[in-house]
Amino acid sequence: ELKVEQNPLFLSMQEGKNYTIYCNYSTTSDRLYWYRQDPGKSLESLFVLLSNGAVKQEGRLMASLDTKARLSTLHITAAVHDLSATYFCAVDPYTGTASKLTFGTGTRLQVTL
Amino acid sequence: DTEVTQTPKHLVMGMTNKKSLKCEQHMGHRAMYWYKQKAKKPPELMFVYSYEKLSINESVPSRFSPECPNSSLLNLHLHALQPEDSALYLCASSQEGQGHPMNTEAFFGQGTRLTVV
């Protein structure tokens, strides 16, 4: 059974600081996605990582994938309050059919002034 | 258009009621999904439809009954639910990855907040 773990579960950081969220998963996969969720809202797609060594950047967020280590990271640079949300990684083990996403535990990010 | 539309946004139902959740997408995706999300937890997969056929049922109780009338529509019929079924129900769609690795990024609807009383 695929297990996906994120750490930390909760992150309080000051504006302007940098930090990294980690996503570890238990079985081989080269398809990993990052989503953002605001309270009471749905999931917004942030990054699609489809190969070992993939790196994507959007604004203050950068995501990477190391399939050998079964690890993805989401790096936050110079955090701003608008980034406060819950961030999920999700792994698709690819069984040759439709996606079967298993989500990580989520990291609740709170950016304070 | 990368939109997945779900109706209703909110639903309150009694334990003896029958109701349906609806989901629609016009991205040409041939895979559609139902996820359930309890408060402060990650989404959990319930059902997967691939080319309008049910391909995955994650051991969901029979009081939840999915239906895929065509490639754009997905329904979830609800009957005799329990209060613990109260949650956010998310519909998603993606390209279908059969036969070769490809981007199966899932696009999510806004969800239906369901309360069972």
Side-chain angles (χ1 to χ4, degrees):
Chain A
E1 181 190 344
L2 172 60
K3 291 195 189 312
V4 184
E5 293 182 347
Q6 285 180 237
N7 68 81
L9 296 183
F10 177 71
L11 175 56
S12 180
M13 56 190 297
Q14 286 183 315
E15 276 201 335
K17 299 291 188 184
N18 304 333
Y19 208 82
T20 299
I21 298 169
Y22 297 88
C23 172
N24 291 90
Y25 53 98
S26 61
T27 62
T28 301
S29 174
D30 57 3
R31 296 198 287 191
L32 189 139
Y33 307 90
W34 283 94
Y35 289 89
R36 168 182 170 144
Q37 187 173 40
D38 291 296
K41 303 291 187 183
S42 186
L43 296 161
E44 174 191 355
S45 179
L46 293 176
F47 297 109
V48 176
L49 303 169
L50 298 178
S51 61
N52 186 40
V55 177
K56 297 277 184 74
Q57 181 161 7
E58 180 74 32
R60 301 174 189 275
L61 300 177
M62 184 173 71
S64 66
L65 178 62
D66 181 344
T67 58
K68 292 187 171 67
R70 297 178 188 169
L71 171 68
S72 180
T73 61
L74 180 67
H75 186 72
I76 303 154
T77 302
V80 292
H81 181 70
D82 284 352
L83 291 179
S84 298
T86 297
Y87 293 85
F88 291 100
C89 63
V91 177
D92 182 359
Y94 181 58
T95 57
T97 60
S99 170
K100 188 179 174 185
L101 291 178
T102 297
F103 283 81
T105 43
T107 297
R108 187 159 74 91
L109 172 65
Q110 184 177 69
V111 181
T112 57
L113 297 171
Chain B
D1 181 7
T2 56
E3 196 170 279
V4 177
T5 304
Q6 287 186 246
T7 55
K9 288 188 171 44
H10 300 274
L11 178 63
V12 179
M13 61 184 291
M15 289 188 283
T16 58
N17 290 161
K18 285 185 183 181
K19 296 286 184 185
S20 296
L21 309 185
K22 297 186 182 303
C23 175
E24 188 168 8
Q25 59 89 13
H26 294 289
M27 293 179 275
H29 290 163
R30 301 310 297 272
M32 295 187 76
Y33 312 83
W34 282 112
Y35 284 83
K36 173 181 178 179
Q37 186 178 24
K38 300 282 276 183
K40 299 190 189 304
K41 296 289 188 184
E44 292 180 343
L45 183 64
M46 299 174 72
F47 302 104
V48 180
Y49 272 83
S50 177
Y51 291 97
E52 294 102 72
K53 287 187 169 45
L54 183 64
S55 64
I56 296 174
N57 174 344
E58 293 285 83
S59 302
V60 179
S62 60
R63 57 185 184 268
F64 295 91
S65 175
E67 177 197 21
C68 189
N70 60 54
S71 60
S72 300
L73 293 175
L74 186 66
N75 298 322
L76 186 63
H77 303 298
L78 314 172
H79 173 54
L81 294 192
Q82 303 297 310
E84 59 264 29
D85 296 320
S86 299
L88 180 67
Y89 288 82
L90 294 162
C91 173
S93 71
S94 75
Q95 296 185 66
E96 212 281 354
Q98 190 169 25
H100 55 279
M102 65 187 293
N103 181 355
T104 55
E105 178 187 10
F107 294 86
F108 285 82
Q110 290 305 301
T112 294
R113 175 83 50 196
L114 174 67
T115 303
V116 182
V117 298

